[in-house]
Amino acid sequence: MADAALRLTALAEEVLGEALPIRIRAWDGSEAGPPGAPVLVVRHRRALRRLLWKPGELGLARAWVAGELDVEGDLYALLDRLSGLIWEREEEPGKRVHPVRDPRLRAAARELVKLGGALPPPAPPAEEVHRRTGRLHTRRRDKEAISHHYDVGNDFYALVLGPSMVYSCAYWESPESTLEEAQRDKLDLVCRKLALKEGDRLLDVGCGWGSMAIHAAREYGAHVVGITLSREQAAYARKRIAEEGLTDRIEIRVQDYRDVKDGPYDAISSIGMAEHVGSVRYAEYADILYGLLRDGGRLLNHQIARRPERDESAYHIDEFIDAYVFPDGELAPVGRTLSTLEEAGFEARDVEPIREHYALTLRQWVANLESDWPRAVRYTSPGRARIWRLYMAACALSFERNRIGVNQILAVKTPVSGASGMPLRARTWN
């Protein structure tokens, strides 16, 4: 009798202590769960062995990347229900999943052995980050982490990001705007906050595929140095710049921010870069940027932020994202970022939270990926495409639920005279 789905559902409900709000379809064709609910498809019993050997998020992630787990129906709806059932319950007193010593978990493990087999664990998918060595956020380790994330094929990123080739939160004047319009508006907002003008020197830290540099040079007449650790990004950006006829105004370097020595700059943009810096380096990062600016120069720091922990020592990097998406990436609360910038000498002049904008952006990226799935797989790999689909959809929900946010911080290297050069009215740029 085909009953794997029924047994899995009963097992999950026993461990979680409440009804499972999704439907399960198992490899033997059986189904169980509420009719009409989003369906989690367990394509192979190997997924259960992954959970046996690596319980929790990483085991689930490996099964997803390997194609052993899938979703039928609305991915957002399934993630939303699982988020409330598993991840968010861990933050509620008295609703944590039972600890390992609980006999119910031991019984669950025995049942998983019966269903999935007790064979050795399957090898992790090829897309998983290999074992990392050395101290966090050395130049070598940062370069390897950036390469893992960004050197996966410019064609793949072009499909996901669209013509703008901007891999950060867009700025939506209206939900009806196109992604390209919203990304153009974001780049223009950054330029206006920095008060760029003809001849200004701009340092774009983490320049990606060159979109910010091109916009600043073409629309504002700035002379731009863009730095990245990704050779694929740099090659793509240089090609775009040549096609725009802007090689006399833009230089793209494959360079670590710690090695930039040719200040002063009139302005610095750091858009989606600081998440890679890490807590052990963030004070150094802020000091370096401060030292590279002229007196009165402005920094625009665009950065994802997490909610603060009551006990900050309890913060840990998300296992799935660390293993498959952003190795060694860390998020900090916006308050900590502000304090670090001020300790470096900056005067913080404006903080604009735009987390809802990132949810809109991510949903558009997911739609781009899903609408041309065969080509996305061809450009990279089935596992990599699955990683990006899950990662971006889950992040969209996290922004919508205020689990994470994103902020634009405008800071000034205010001189001793106190003349910041800022307008009297907030948000009246230039």
Side-chain angles (χ1 to χ4, degrees), residues 56-76:
E57 186 173 326
L58 189 55
L60 287 169
R62 287 173 172 172
W64 172 268
V65 175
E68 297 152 7
L69 292 179
D70 207 345
V71 171
E72 183 178 289
D74 189 336
L75 174 60
Y76 294 103

Side-chain angles (χ1 to χ4, degrees), residues 209-230:
W209 292 271
S211 300
M212 175 64 192
I214 290 170
H215 189 86
R218 185 182 60 209
E219 305 299 329
Y220 288 83
H223 291 271
V224 187
V225 171
I227 62 171
T228 176
L229 293 179
S230 167

